[in-house]
Amino acid sequence: MHVASPHGGEATPEQPQVAHMPAGYVLTNGMEKKDVIWTAVLSSLAALLTLVAALYACYWWQRRKRKREEEEEEAEQVVVMQHPTSSLSRLNGILSLKTPLISTKALGAQLETAGTPNKTPSGTSSNLAGTSIPEGKSAGATSPAPQNKALQNVKSEHPSTATEGMAFLQNRSISLVDMYIDNSEPSENVGQIHFSLEYDFQNTTLILRIIQGKELPAKDLSGTSDPYVRVTLLPDKKHRLETKIKRRTLNPRWNETFYFEGFPIQKLQSRVLHLHVFDYDRFSRDDSIGEVFLPLCQVDFSEKPSFWKALKPPAKDKCGELLTSLCYHPSNSILTLTLLKARNLKAKDINGKSDPYVKVWLQFGDKRIEKRKTAIFKCTLNPVFNDTFSFNVPWEKIRECSLDVMVMDFDNIGRNELIGRILLAGKNGSGASETKHWQDMITKPRQTIVQWHRLKPE
């Protein structure tokens, strides 16, 4: 674009106007941006360090608080009682590892008592119609004397009279078989199951006949159930056998035979027969009706025992179970509690596990006297404690005291959580099983009484 000059000549082209900023201003603006960035970074680091310091202070405070609580518990008043052989004596709880975890003599007696087969009800035929027995599986096969017959000799006072079965019990540690020795009564009636066992010594085959069930609970809206039985030889859970489903009945008759081949008698005595009755459902998960666990070391295979067993309902609480033993010696006034193991404990940590330990309080009425604790077992729901605690309790006070047994989950941050507990007492135990355990200990002095207990949430 050309513009006429005021002097009459042609004007030069118009030049764009450019604002010239001082160099110092640009430099100052760049430095301000860097300062803002550095300030933000340093502020973030300071906030992070403050957060870490706060978490550490919280952790340290929780540890101090827990330690202070434990010291307060230890400092609780100790009840002074009159001992029959001395003036005033303090009830001392001492850790004694000399006491055997399970008395073989007592355990054998329990096996003998629990293993007595129930007689078949009158009118029930032992012949199973429609049961086919393959050739070579004849029940009449000649069999040597069963080795577990020696369980009848476990009451002998001298080890020299013990036979091969006694040696088997002595050498066997707390194993899978001990986990299922449970003589407690079912918490509710869910029916019974009738079955028989036979052992073919010549072909090393266990023969199981599931005969019938009766008085099963109704699981369907029609007021009936569709029951079947799932059979397992624990600890093998992969290979399961099942009976046929009996439709719309609460008193099913299965009359089915199962063969377990290749089981020598010694191997068989380390197995547990598990019969689990289910109600079949076409459109949803099958409902559990009840189950039976039978350690085969309890069975006398010299005969062909037939059993009527009460089904036990599946555990409704998820706290788990604890295997304990009690023993009392009136001569020296020593009460011994052995914590053997726990199973299926409730998970308390985010990894699906717990860090369990057991805390035990000796109590007289509502007064706590002595506390003992086991070691902590990390990341497990089936810990093996094998801890024995002994307490000095006079005979005249044994019916008044109790043991509050609490299974706890250890936590580094925060309070330790209760997984479950039981109260072993002769009068007001936490359940019929706990009260019976204590009474059996009193009526059978110097004997080790072993029993599983279901943990209660509170």
Side-chain angles (χ1 to χ4, degrees):
M1 178 178 179
H2 298 276
V3 181
S5 174
H7 303 286
E10 185 177 356
T12 59
E14 182 179 3
Q15 299 295 329
Q17 297 181 358
V18 179
H20 297 280
M21 304 297 295
Y25 177 81
V26 177
L27 182 60
T28 302
N29 191 23
M31 291 182 65
E32 288 179 355
K33 290 183 179 179
K34 289 183 179 180
D35 290 342
V36 170
I37 295 174
W38 276 108
T39 302
V41 171
L42 292 176
S43 300
S44 300
L45 289 176
L48 183 60
L49 291 175
T50 303
L51 179 61
V52 171
L55 290 176
Y56 178 78
C58 180
Y59 169 77
W60 177 82
W61 180 78
Q62 290 287 350
R63 291 294 296 268
R64 287 292 301 273
K65 182 179 178 182
R66 183 184 303 134
K67 186 176 180 180
R68 187 164 55 251
E69 289 175 353
E70 292 178 355
E71 290 175 352
E72 290 175 357
E73 288 179 352
E74 295 289 350
E76 284 189 358
Q77 181 180 2
V78 177
V79 173
V80 178
M81 298 184 56
Q82 186 73 24
H83 194 278
T85 59
S86 62
S87 57
L88 292 178
S89 62
R90 180 177 183 270
L91 290 182
N92 293 323
I94 59 174
L95 175 62
S96 171
L97 296 180
K98 295 182 180 179
T99 305
L101 295 181
I102 285 188
S103 169
T104 306
K105 175 181 172 184
L107 178 59
Q110 289 185 15
L111 294 183
E112 187 181 51
T113 302
T116 304
N118 299 329
K119 301 299 181 182
T120 306
S122 58
T124 303
S125 174
S126 59
N127 297 327
L128 301 179
T131 301
S132 61
I133 302 179
E135 294 182 4
K137 307 292 183 183
S138 174
T142 304
S143 60
Q147 299 182 24
N148 69 333
K149 188 74 173 177
L151 288 176
Q152 298 176 359
N153 301 325
V154 295
K155 294 182 179 179
S156 174
E157 294 293 335
H158 303 286
S160 58
T161 62
T163 56
E164 187 174 348
M166 182 67 172
F168 166 73
L169 283 173
Q170 288 177 332
N171 296 329
R172 182 163 54 90
S173 61
I174 307 303
S175 64
L176 177 77
V177 173
D178 303 301
M179 293 178 62
Y180 294 100
I181 297 177
D182 185 1
N183 299 323
S184 61
E185 295 296 325
S187 57
E188 60 179 294
N189 181 22
V190 291
Q192 300 181 52
I193 187 169
H194 184 200
F195 63 97
S196 66
L197 290 170
E198 181 183 347
Y199 186 72
D200 185 347
F201 286 89
Q202 182 176 358
N203 298 298
T204 62
T205 299
L206 174 67
I207 303 172
L208 166 67
R209 295 183 177 91
I210 299 180
I211 304 171
Q212 62 178 332
K214 70 176 183 178
E215 299 176 357
L216 301 182
K219 293 290 184 177
D220 299 335
L221 296 176
S222 60
T224 61
S225 293
D226 302 321
Y228 68 93
V229 183
R230 180 178 296 167
V231 183
T232 312
L233 271 187
L234 299 173
D236 183 9
K237 297 183 180 180
K238 295 182 180 179
H239 301 92
R240 298 173 176 174
L241 302 174
E242 294 181 354
T243 66
K244 295 180 180 179
I245 301 170
K246 296 299 178 180
R247 302 285 183 176
R248 296 180 293 279
T249 178
L250 301 180
N251 298 281
R253 303 184 71 89
W254 290 289
N255 289 335
E256 296 188 36
T257 304
F258 299 92
Y259 298 86
F260 298 88
E261 299 178 342
F263 276 92
I265 189 66
Q266 287 288 354
K267 180 180 179 181
L268 196 64
Q269 286 182 331
S270 65
R271 295 294 189 269
V272 175
L273 177 64
H274 182 206
L275 304 180
H276 198 161
V277 181
F278 286 90
D279 168 56
Y280 173 76
D281 198 323
R282 182 185 299 272
F283 302 106
S284 63
R285 186 175 182 179
D286 296 348
D287 296 321
S288 173
I289 294 178
E291 58 188 351
V292 168
F293 294 95
L294 177 62
L296 295 180
C297 65
Q298 298 179 352
V299 180
D300 184 0
F301 287 107
S302 63
E303 303 174 356
K304 299 177 182 178
S306 177
F307 300 88
W308 275 99
K309 290 286 188 180
L311 296 171
K312 293 191 175 183
K316 294 181 180 180
D317 53 46
K318 302 297 182 178
C319 296
E321 296 175 277
L322 182 66
L323 180 62
T324 66
S325 73
L326 288 173
C327 182
Y328 184 72
H329 289 265
S331 58
N332 55 6
S333 301
I334 295 298
L335 168 64
T336 303
L337 168 69
T338 302
L339 303 169
L340 297 168
K341 60 169 64 175
R343 66 186 180 195
N344 303 325
L345 295 181
K346 185 176 182 179
K348 290 289 187 177
D349 299 335
I350 58 175
N351 59 359
K353 300 289 184 179
S354 291
D355 301 325
Y357 70 95
V358 182
K359 182 165 60 174
V360 181
W361 274 103
L362 173 66
Q363 298 182 156
F364 283 85
D366 296 331
K367 194 71 175 181
R368 288 179 169 181
I369 308 302
E370 291 289 340
K371 183 182 72 171
R372 290 294 175 266
K373 291 193 297 186
T374 68
I376 300 170
F377 291 80
K378 295 288 187 178
C379 297
T380 179
L381 300 179
N382 300 280
V384 178
F385 300 110
N386 280 344
D387 256 347
T388 299
F389 303 114
S390 295
F391 302 92
N392 187 356
V393 180
W395 169 252
E396 63 270 16
K397 299 293 184 180
I398 190 64
R399 300 179 186 275
E400 301 175 12
C401 70
S402 61
L403 291 173
D404 188 9
V405 183
M406 295 172 282
V407 181
M408 309 291 295
D409 171 54
F410 176 79
D411 200 339
N412 282 322
I413 301 178
R415 293 178 62 90
N416 298 338
E417 294 185 76
L418 176 69
I419 296 177
R421 72 194 306 168
I422 57 173
L423 181 66
L424 299 171
K427 297 180 180 178
N428 299 313
S430 55
S433 172
E434 291 78 8
T435 302
K436 183 178 183 299
H437 196 181
W438 193 271
Q439 293 173 348
D440 288 345
M441 174 197 69
I442 295 176
T443 56
K444 300 175 183 178
R446 295 177 295 278
Q447 291 189 25
T448 301
I449 312 297
V450 186
Q451 190 166 328
W452 278 100
H453 297 285
R454 288 185 178 178
L455 296 171
K456 278 73 174 176
E458 277 297 339

